[in-house]
Amino acid sequence: MRATVIHLEESKIREVANAGMGRSDVLAFWFGESDEVTPEPVRRAAMESLGRGETFYSHNLGLPELRSAIASYTSALHGPIAADRVAVTSGGVSGLMLSMQALLDPGDEVVAVTPVWPNLTAQPQIMGARLRCIPLRPQPGGVWVLDMDALLAAITPSTRLVIVNAPNNPTGWTLTRDEQRQIIQHCRTTGTWILADEVYERLYYDDPSNSVCAPSFLDLAEAEDRLVVVQSFSKSFLMTGWRLGWLVMPAEMTHHMGKLIEFNTSCTSVFTQQAGIAALQHASEITPRVVSHLQVCRDALVPLLQALPGIEVASPRGGMYAFFRLTGQGDSLDLAKRLVREAGLGLAPGNAFGLEAQGWLRWCFASRDPERLVQGVQRLKTWLGV
Ligand code: PMP
């Protein structure tokens, strides 16, 4: 087996979850998903598809109806995007891996903004690329910020790809439009590709103009810019288990992406794609409800955490996570395991997302019943003895 694969680090989130899964006395907030099932019209569309006997392969790039529905949905949010720039993928994570396969040769230099969901830094390593991480920095009060000068200085003509996930898992950090503009302009001069993971774009809470999503690179980029945007049905449509996502890329790239999809998964199952079409048809009912509920959850959890002594936590602008640190605690992984064992509370360890997040913990607040969050805080309080 390849040494790279043998030496791949296992997910520390899984390590904690494995220690507590199946224990009914643990309140689990470790994974990035809601405990609410996918909305009924979406499930119905999949069942109807199976009822019609749609059990065959589809086009590598996805059903034409789904690609054009995605193009319309994306265009409504970000300005005109043609369907020939869209590929349907088996989840956001497959879209990310396909993008890495399309862009990275062994030895290529990749810059990634961290902390970030570990898959985004493991995948370039699987491709044999050289990874350089540019850390966000926590400010007093728990807000994480980007040192833009450090990022731009790290992106040189030898940088093949820069990976940015905003709104960010785990910190909730979000890029501003101006920062996106600077990154695009800089990458045009260095010839660097941008891989923008925008799967949390709709989970965005405090936009004074009340617009419907976080700033996207698609709002600013030209169609031919070296930009690939990764998207997912998982978060905004409560569809984690379906494995459905999409990519937006320059039109010249789409055909080649189709070849990679052929050699990876060939296509996404048709009933899943039909569910995706239904999700987009119902987007204006589903997503605002999901987002306003998540905001209720965020606002139930964060003030309770902020009220605890020795906790540093900011209310995130985007995403579905409260990211916090407890003063006087050491290694996140040890801490998360102790919390499972001793408090019956399941959280993700911050150091799963990058070295700079050592000592931090991530709490997914996507809970159907916000009372679960309150119970979780009570367990933390009891454990802390406050
Ligand atoms: N990107 C980020 C930043 C994520 O947090 C996730 C899910 N945790 C994904 C991509 C992938 O989501 P999915 O594969 O379920 O579409």
mmCIF file of all heavy atoms in Angstrom, residues 91-93 96 117 165 169 197 199-200 232 234-235 243, ligand 1:
data_model
loop_
_atom_site.group_PDB
_atom_site.id
_atom_site.type_symbol
_atom_site.label_atom_id
_atom_site.label_comp_id
_atom_site.label_asym_id
_atom_site.label_seq_id
_atom_site.Cartn_x
_atom_site.Cartn_y
_atom_site.Cartn_z
ATOM 1 N N GLY A 91 -22.005 14.037 -3.177
ATOM 2 C CA GLY A 91 -21.686 14.771 -1.954
ATOM 3 C C GLY A 91 -20.607 15.820 -2.217
ATOM 4 O O GLY A 91 -19.869 15.754 -3.222
ATOM 5 N N GLY A 92 -20.526 16.773 -1.281
ATOM 6 C CA GLY A 92 -19.491 17.796 -1.390
ATOM 7 C C GLY A 92 -18.104 17.183 -1.298
ATOM 8 O O GLY A 92 -17.166 17.601 -1.986
ATOM 9 N N VAL A 93 -17.968 16.158 -0.480
ATOM 10 C CA VAL A 93 -16.635 15.594 -0.253
ATOM 11 C C VAL A 93 -16.092 14.950 -1.533
ATOM 12 O O VAL A 93 -14.903 15.046 -1.836
ATOM 13 C CB VAL A 93 -16.655 14.623 0.953
ATOM 14 C CG1 VAL A 93 -17.419 13.368 0.685
ATOM 15 C CG2 VAL A 93 -15.252 14.304 1.386
ATOM 16 N N LEU A 96 -14.933 17.742 -3.730
ATOM 17 C CA LEU A 96 -13.611 18.220 -3.314
ATOM 18 C C LEU A 96 -12.518 17.298 -3.854
ATOM 19 O O LEU A 96 -11.523 17.749 -4.426
ATOM 20 C CB LEU A 96 -13.519 18.239 -1.781
ATOM 21 C CG LEU A 96 -14.250 19.377 -1.068
ATOM 22 C CD1 LEU A 96 -14.421 19.054 0.413
ATOM 23 C CD2 LEU A 96 -13.497 20.687 -1.239
ATOM 24 N N TRP A 117 -12.188 21.713 8.205
ATOM 25 C CA TRP A 117 -12.651 20.320 8.196
ATOM 26 C C TRP A 117 -11.530 19.439 7.619
ATOM 27 O O TRP A 117 -11.018 19.740 6.533
ATOM 28 C CB TRP A 117 -13.906 20.242 7.330
ATOM 29 C CG TRP A 117 -14.629 18.936 7.397
ATOM 30 C CD1 TRP A 117 -14.990 18.247 8.515
ATOM 31 C CD2 TRP A 117 -15.094 18.176 6.280
ATOM 32 N NE1 TRP A 117 -15.661 17.102 8.163
ATOM 33 C CE2 TRP A 117 -15.728 17.033 6.795
ATOM 34 C CE3 TRP A 117 -15.033 18.348 4.894
ATOM 35 C CZ2 TRP A 117 -16.303 16.061 5.989
ATOM 36 C CZ3 TRP A 117 -15.615 17.388 4.083
ATOM 37 C CH2 TRP A 117 -16.233 16.256 4.627
ATOM 38 N N ASN A 165 -12.286 27.551 2.879
ATOM 39 C CA ASN A 165 -13.645 27.147 3.265
ATOM 40 C C ASN A 165 -14.257 28.258 4.118
ATOM 41 O O ASN A 165 -13.844 28.481 5.244
ATOM 42 C CB ASN A 165 -13.600 25.827 4.046
ATOM 43 C CG ASN A 165 -14.861 25.574 4.850
ATOM 44 O OD1 ASN A 165 -14.808 25.285 6.047
ATOM 45 N ND2 ASN A 165 -16.001 25.682 4.217
ATOM 46 N N ASN A 169 -15.968 25.733 8.656
ATOM 47 C CA ASN A 169 -16.108 24.659 9.630
ATOM 48 C C ASN A 169 -14.703 24.387 10.159
ATOM 49 O O ASN A 169 -13.855 23.986 9.368
ATOM 50 C CB ASN A 169 -16.665 23.411 8.924
ATOM 51 C CG ASN A 169 -16.672 22.191 9.817
ATOM 52 O OD1 ASN A 169 -16.402 22.263 10.997
ATOM 53 N ND2 ASN A 169 -16.980 21.038 9.230
ATOM 54 N N ASP A 197 -14.694 26.112 -0.880
ATOM 55 C CA ASP A 197 -15.698 25.231 -0.288
ATOM 56 C C ASP A 197 -16.754 26.126 0.345
ATOM 57 O O ASP A 197 -16.524 26.732 1.396
ATOM 58 C CB ASP A 197 -15.021 24.331 0.745
ATOM 59 C CG ASP A 197 -16.007 23.408 1.449
ATOM 60 O OD1 ASP A 197 -17.199 23.766 1.559
ATOM 61 O OD2 ASP A 197 -15.586 22.334 1.904
ATOM 62 N N VAL A 199 -20.003 25.159 1.091
ATOM 63 C CA VAL A 199 -21.173 24.339 1.422
ATOM 64 C C VAL A 199 -22.045 24.964 2.516
ATOM 65 O O VAL A 199 -23.207 24.608 2.663
ATOM 66 C CB VAL A 199 -20.807 22.882 1.801
ATOM 67 C CG1 VAL A 199 -19.990 22.201 0.718
ATOM 68 C CG2 VAL A 199 -20.097 22.790 3.135
ATOM 69 N N TYR A 200 -21.469 25.913 3.274
ATOM 70 C CA TYR A 200 -22.266 26.569 4.330
ATOM 71 C C TYR A 200 -22.783 27.942 3.904
ATOM 72 O O TYR A 200 -23.179 28.737 4.755
ATOM 73 C CB TYR A 200 -21.429 26.711 5.609
ATOM 74 C CG TYR A 200 -21.073 25.381 6.239
ATOM 75 C CD1 TYR A 200 -19.816 24.813 6.057
ATOM 76 C CD2 TYR A 200 -22.002 24.674 6.989
ATOM 77 C CE1 TYR A 200 -19.497 23.575 6.607
ATOM 78 C CE2 TYR A 200 -21.690 23.444 7.541
ATOM 79 C CZ TYR A 200 -20.441 22.903 7.347
ATOM 80 O OH TYR A 200 -20.141 21.673 7.890
ATOM 81 N N SER A 232 -23.048 21.559 -1.763
ATOM 82 C CA SER A 232 -23.631 20.340 -1.214
ATOM 83 C C SER A 232 -25.109 20.537 -0.906
ATOM 84 O O SER A 232 -25.537 21.634 -0.550
ATOM 85 C CB SER A 232 -22.897 20.003 0.085
ATOM 86 O OG SER A 232 -23.541 18.939 0.742
ATOM 87 N N SER A 234 -26.199 18.717 1.536
ATOM 88 C CA SER A 234 -26.232 18.175 2.899
ATOM 89 C C SER A 234 -26.772 19.143 3.931
ATOM 90 O O SER A 234 -27.577 18.776 4.782
ATOM 91 C CB SER A 234 -24.817 17.757 3.333
ATOM 92 O OG SER A 234 -24.435 16.594 2.671
ATOM 93 N N LYS A 235 -26.276 20.393 3.897
ATOM 94 C CA LYS A 235 -26.525 21.300 5.021
ATOM 95 C C LYS A 235 -27.817 22.089 4.837
ATOM 96 O O LYS A 235 -28.669 22.105 5.715
ATOM 97 C CB LYS A 235 -25.335 22.249 5.191
ATOM 98 C CG LYS A 235 -23.970 21.584 5.122
ATOM 99 C CD LYS A 235 -23.684 20.648 6.274
ATOM 100 C CE LYS A 235 -22.381 19.893 6.042
ATOM 101 N NZ LYS A 235 -21.982 19.022 7.113
ATOM 102 N N ARG A 243 -25.703 11.883 0.017
ATOM 103 C CA ARG A 243 -24.456 12.047 -0.728
ATOM 104 C C ARG A 243 -24.716 12.739 -2.073
ATOM 105 O O ARG A 243 -24.597 12.164 -3.149
ATOM 106 C CB ARG A 243 -23.730 10.698 -0.942
ATOM 107 C CG ARG A 243 -23.675 9.755 0.247
ATOM 108 C CD ARG A 243 -23.232 10.462 1.535
ATOM 109 N NE ARG A 243 -21.958 11.128 1.387
ATOM 110 C CZ ARG A 243 -21.767 12.441 1.673
ATOM 111 N NH1 ARG A 243 -22.742 13.181 2.167
ATOM 112 N NH2 ARG A 243 -20.607 12.976 1.486
HETATM 113 N N1 PMP B 1 -17.034 20.907 3.261
HETATM 114 C C1 PMP B 1 -17.132 21.171 4.561
HETATM 115 C C2 PMP B 1 -16.427 22.364 5.100
HETATM 116 C C3 PMP B 1 -17.883 20.357 5.398
HETATM 117 O O1 PMP B 1 -17.964 20.639 6.700
HETATM 118 C C4 PMP B 1 -18.537 19.235 4.843
HETATM 119 C C5 PMP B 1 -19.350 18.300 5.696
HETATM 120 N N2 PMP B 1 -18.980 18.161 7.002
HETATM 121 C C6 PMP B 1 -18.401 19.013 3.467
HETATM 122 C C7 PMP B 1 -17.642 19.855 2.708
HETATM 123 C C8 PMP B 1 -18.983 17.841 2.758
HETATM 124 O O2 PMP B 1 -20.291 17.623 2.909
HETATM 125 P P1 PMP B 1 -21.041 16.469 2.106
HETATM 126 O O3 PMP B 1 -20.006 15.524 1.590
HETATM 127 O O4 PMP B 1 -21.969 15.849 3.068
HETATM 128 O O5 PMP B 1 -21.738 17.143 0.983
#
